[in-house]
Amino acid sequence: MNRKKSNIGVFSHLQIPMQLKMVSQLCRRYNINLKGITLKIQRDIELIKLPIAGITDYDNIGRIDLTPNTFLNEEELLKTVLHEKAHVKQLIKYGKKYVQENLLYMEKVAYRYENFFYSLTKRRFLR
């Protein structure tokens, strides 16, 4: 019952509750379209140690796995969703093989997409 309002145990330092409902609410608030995206929260304790927050599934295009680090704070969650959404768009446009062969470039483009849309989104809401 407590997990519905906040994270508990090893996840208690995370500011955003690890719930799909919270992700959807934040994305709606900041007008981030999740159409065609399937989100899955990975609650594996070992993932906290990794410096990643999201994972795009290359075999199930449209699926994004959110690791515990996604929920550190609102900024991390929004940036992760935007970044992984960029990878989904890349996979749809270019296909798995091409994206994997050009991974460094695709990652660079995803960071630009993330930063551009995050700053645009934040500016809209600071007015």
Side-chain angles (χ1 to χ4, degrees):
M1 189 69 157
N2 288 340
R3 193 168 60 97
K4 291 186 178 188
K5 295 182 182 173
S6 63
N7 299 309
I8 58 174
V10 295
F11 302 123
S12 61
H13 69 285
L14 305 171
Q15 292 179 13
I16 308 292
M18 293 174 65
Q19 299 175 358
L20 291 175
K21 171 177 84 171
M22 294 304 296
V23 177
S24 295
Q25 284 175 2
L26 276 173
C27 288
R28 271 196 310 276
R29 182 183 320 149
Y30 290 102
N31 204 24
I32 297 172
N33 186 349
L34 293 177
K35 185 177 181 183
I37 305 287
T38 302
L39 301 172
K40 181 170 171 62
I41 297 174
Q42 298 292 341
R43 290 185 173 83
D44 185 340
I45 295 169
E46 295 299 312
L47 292 173
I48 291 175
K49 299 173 189 173
L50 299 178
I52 59 169
I55 304 163
T56 301
D57 190 328
Y58 281 46
D59 293 318
N60 185 3
I61 297 174
R63 178 177 153 180
I64 297 171
D65 289 8
L66 303 174
T67 69
N69 292 328
T70 302
F71 300 89
L72 282 172
N73 54 51
E74 190 173 284
E75 178 180 351
E76 187 64 36
L77 189 147
L78 294 172
K79 284 185 169 185
T80 299
V81 170
L82 289 168
H83 184 92
E84 299 306 326
K85 184 176 173 181
H87 286 311
V88 170
K89 288 176 178 262
Q90 292 167 344
L91 286 164
I92 290 168
K93 184 173 183 176
Y94 301 111
K96 176 182 173 179
K97 185 176 188 278
Y98 181 85
V99 170
Q100 287 179 322
E101 289 171 353
N102 297 281
L103 200 53
L104 289 175
Y105 176 72
M106 294 296 161
E107 193 65 24
K108 190 175 177 180
V109 171
Y111 275 112
R112 283 197 311 245
Y113 178 93
E114 164 195 329
N115 290 323
F116 176 78
F117 282 103
Y118 179 76
S119 64
L120 186 68
T121 298
K122 290 306 276 189
R123 263 188 265 135
R124 264 191 242 144
F125 288 92
L126 289 176
R127 292 181 192 164

